[in-house]
Amino acid sequence: MASAGDTRILQAPPAEGAKDQHMVINMGPQHPATHGVLRLVLEIDGEIVVRLYPEIGYLHTGIEKTCEAKFYQQVVPLTDRINYLDPMSNNLCYSLAVEKLIGLEIPEKATWLRVLLAELSRLNSHLIWLGTHAMDIGALTVFLYTFREREEILRIFEGLAGQRMMTSYIRIGGLSMEPPLDFLDRVQGFINMLPEKIDEYANLLTGNPIFRNRLKGVGYLSPEDAIALGVTGPVMRASGVDFDLRRDIPYCGYEKFPFQVPISTVGDCWSRYEVRLVEMRESIKIIQMVLDGMPEGPVKADAPKIVLPDREKMKTQMEALIHHFKIVTEGFTVPAGEVYQAIEAGHGATGYYVVSDGTAKPYRVHMRYPSFATLQALETMCKGRMLADVVAVIGSIDIVLGEIDR
Amino acid sequence: MTILQFFLWSVLKVAVVTVVMLLGVAYTVLLERKLVGRIQNRWGPNRVGPFGLLQPLVDGAKSFLKEDMIPAGVYKPLYVLAPVLSLGCALISIGVVPFGEPKTGPGGLDLFEISNVNIGLLVILGITSIGVYGIALAGWSSNNKYSLLGSLRSSAQLISYELALGLSLVGVVLVSQSFNLRVIVEKQAEKGIVTWNIFGGFQFVAFFIYLMAAYAETNRSPFDLPEAESELAGGYNIEYSSMKFAMFFMAEYANMITVGCVATLLFFGGWTSPFGNLIDPPQNVFAHALFPMFWFVGKVFCFLCLYVWVRGTLPRFRYDQLMRFGWRFLMPLAILNIVATSLWLAYR
């Protein structure tokens, strides 16, 4: 049975005189290089891509709609599952949006920890990008090396939240609980070790002529196209657009941490590779700054009607018990209004548009995730290139299908 | 010796070599998995038998027991023929490889070699070329777009690299003045490592070209485009299952071994000791016979490890880059090597 994607590309008339020469090839959804369940319908002339049509929806979960049936605090675990490689950023973006709507003040320590976690999460995302990208090009070893380091991040997350991937650790009003005692030491140990490991990856890849040739000049995206197609994040910065939400529209106290935003003006896969590698090193610097200046204090806002009380308080104080009961059974009401909050996640600008009608459940939660927009640019980047380049480009734009099919 | 005797002895030799070769293939797979595992920060197979030593046998049994599917749209005769052709050619070429010092057994039969052909080198090159048909036909008869792309790539790649491969060996032939593998080895035997073709014969450029071309010939990383897991999802063998798939797999590893044998014979002094006559060979009859085998197997083993190491390190070429590399770099270099070797031989 032909789906909409098929018919669209098949109905379009082939180029003059090319009727017998072109082949329509179906890449995915079960394909090792499509990062999940992406399906591409490609029209190729020999090995040259003439047309490309991404067919999405294989991972559709209906999360956006589900949000409307949940209390505000119950939406947090859903956000984990959207970009499962960058969980903290999802939590953070949603929490910031709702907090903005309520007008909630977040304690200093929670903000700093949020920055730290968002950066760790970005490292997680970038490590997976590097591994899978290299694997798509054929360097399987790098994949296993990056997963070795990612494992440590996951262990840190597990120590924090009891979950490796679906953390739900950043909540509305702060964090879900105090981090464990050895948390900061573990993070310090991790970022002490990581720069060396990044050098190791760079050793395997940067100087490698095969890897260079596979990426240089491949998948060019002009800054105009990048802006027109809504591409954000490292892909846009590699195309020469100097924009990073962390620096340009600071949120969550990012203005306190001076850091470099790596830019390249080349716009090919190689520049995306370089930009992301520098970004990883910058993330490490940010984490170091957070660790050095970590303030003391609570990790939850003082808002008993919104934030769940500590276990101990709940067992000793009657108000706490009542609040807990109320929050769990009825949720908390959020003043009517709408808000858009954008953050810079690992893949680019992530945004949550939350509309409240004054009840305890959101009227609408719309998510703007970068992969969806980046995927639009795939055809622009791949047209006229070889089939093997499609794989290189998909690797370099770093998409997660959970983000695309919400 | 009667015809019958000759026939029986030949069958025996062929059987022994085939069994050894297939075992070699099985354990090369294990070697690769173990070594790549270590390179990649993991253990590799270690559950079946001590150190996972029984893994290849279990894998083989599994392949036999899998359902053998033949998809509806394939062209059956060629579809079935292709893996046989692939594995057949890979196994036949070992027939002219001498494994050890020439020894005559009963009735003047050569031990350690199935047949001593005067143009052994050409035979190997020729049979390897036929092996390409296996992959090309597999891709075509599978009636699958990915397979077709894989086999197109493969055919183009093998034909281009065959040229470089052939030309790189001309230098060795010039130095040794023979196509007979035995003679080529004996010419290098004199002082061990110093007189090996790669050093004494100044054929290191030729070896480099041979290495590249051989990687391409065997479809191994970084030239594994016909399979290109991440692009073609397996390429030419995508529609094959069970033993037919295993035959392609075995053919690949058999080719690796053959390529390793040829490299050992042509560039690394074959079965001769790297110390030449500095060390006396052992006096015991059996040890005396097995000593050369030891060196031969050892050298091939090193070569196989190199294969695995490269696979663990390098990414994959792109199709056009591969062709450019073959035609614009390896070919001219091989021709230059021939010219240089000829001049050197003429004015020596």
Side-chain angles (χ1 to χ4, degrees), chain A residues 24 26 47 136 141 145 213, chain B residues 39 145-146 153 230 312 321:
Chain A
V24 175
N26 183 43
E47 288 234 1
D136 288 346
T141 306
Y145 286 1
N213 287 337
Chain B
I39 290 172
K145 288 168 183 175
Y146 284 105
R153 283 179 176 192
S230 54
Q321 291 164 351

Side-chain angles (χ1 to χ4, degrees), chain B residues 30-325:
Chain B
L30 184 70
L31 171 78
E32 164 151 39
R33 291 176 64 181
K34 282 264 185 202
L35 214 55
V36 163
R38 290 309 175 101
I39 290 172
Q40 294 174 342
N41 189 36
R42 54 197 176 85
W43 289 100
N46 62 356
R47 282 289 169 267
V48 190
F51 308 107
L53 281 176
L54 297 179
Q55 185 72 39
L57 307 179
V58 179
D59 283 345
K62 189 192 76 174
S63 302
F64 265 114
L65 296 175
K66 287 261 177 186
E67 184 185 354
D68 191 10
M69 281 192 296
I70 298 183
V74 302
Y75 182 61
K76 226 172 165 184
L78 291 182
Y79 177 82
V80 176
L81 177 71
V84 179
L85 202 63
S86 249
L87 184 60
C89 291
L91 290 180
I92 289 172
S93 48
I94 205 77
V96 291
V97 171
F99 302 109
E101 218 166 304
K103 283 247 174 354
T104 38
L109 268 170
D110 292 320
L111 297 176
F112 303 126
E113 183 171 13
I114 291 181
S115 72
N116 179 18
V117 185
N118 237 345
I119 48 163
L121 190 54
L122 291 185
V123 171
I124 289 182
L125 286 179
I127 290 172
T128 331
S129 305
I130 299 175
V132 180
Y133 275 102
I135 290 174
L137 293 178
W140 180 81
S141 65
S142 291
N143 194 16
N144 176 310
K145 288 168 183 175
Y146 284 105
S147 300
L148 184 68
L149 281 175
S151 74
L152 279 178
R153 283 179 176 192
S154 175
S155 312
Q157 170 182 335
L158 297 190
I159 290 166
S160 331
Y161 276 76
E162 207 132 85
L163 275 170
L165 185 82
L167 289 175
S168 72
L169 301 184
V170 173
V172 176
V173 174
L174 283 172
V175 172
S176 319
Q177 304 188 339
S178 172
F179 276 116
N180 188 318
L181 292 167
R182 218 178 251 189
V183 177
I184 293 176
V185 171
E186 273 158 7
K187 290 244 165 145
Q188 309 173 49
E190 210 179 322
K191 288 193 189 108
I193 200 162
V194 188
T195 44
W196 285 359
N197 272 336
I198 186 171
F199 303 118
F202 294 107
Q203 292 303 311
F204 38 83
V205 177
F207 175 68
F208 169 71
I209 301 165
Y210 175 81
L211 200 65
M212 297 289 133
Y215 281 20
E217 279 283 304
T218 45
N219 290 332
R220 292 285 302 180
S221 176
F223 302 98
D224 54 348
L225 298 161
E227 298 169 42
E229 218 186 316
S230 54
E231 296 149 32
L232 301 181
Y236 64 89
N237 58 27
I238 202 167
E239 293 285 1
Y240 284 88
S241 54
S242 178
M243 215 44 216
K244 292 206 197 70
F245 171 76
M247 279 163 95
F248 278 122
F249 201 69
M250 282 152 73
E252 182 182 322
Y253 284 84
N255 276 328
M256 273 167 70
I257 295 179
T258 312
V259 161
C261 291
V262 173
T264 307
L265 292 169
L266 297 186
F267 297 101
F268 294 97
W271 62 79
T272 60
S273 142
F275 309 108
N277 300 331
L278 292 177
I279 298 182
D280 288 331
Q283 296 309 311
N284 180 300
V285 180
F286 283 105
H288 188 76
L290 291 178
F291 196 54
M293 290 269 276
F294 166 75
W295 289 118
F296 186 80
V297 172
K299 287 167 187 174
V300 175
F301 179 79
C302 291
F303 203 78
L304 290 176
C305 290
L306 184 67
Y307 254 111
V308 177
W309 184 18
V310 166
R311 190 193 144 190
T313 316
L314 292 183
R316 184 182 303 123
F317 274 98
R318 200 174 66 208
Y319 178 63
D320 57 326
Q321 291 164 351
L322 175 94
M323 299 304 261
R324 204 178 306 144
F325 185 68

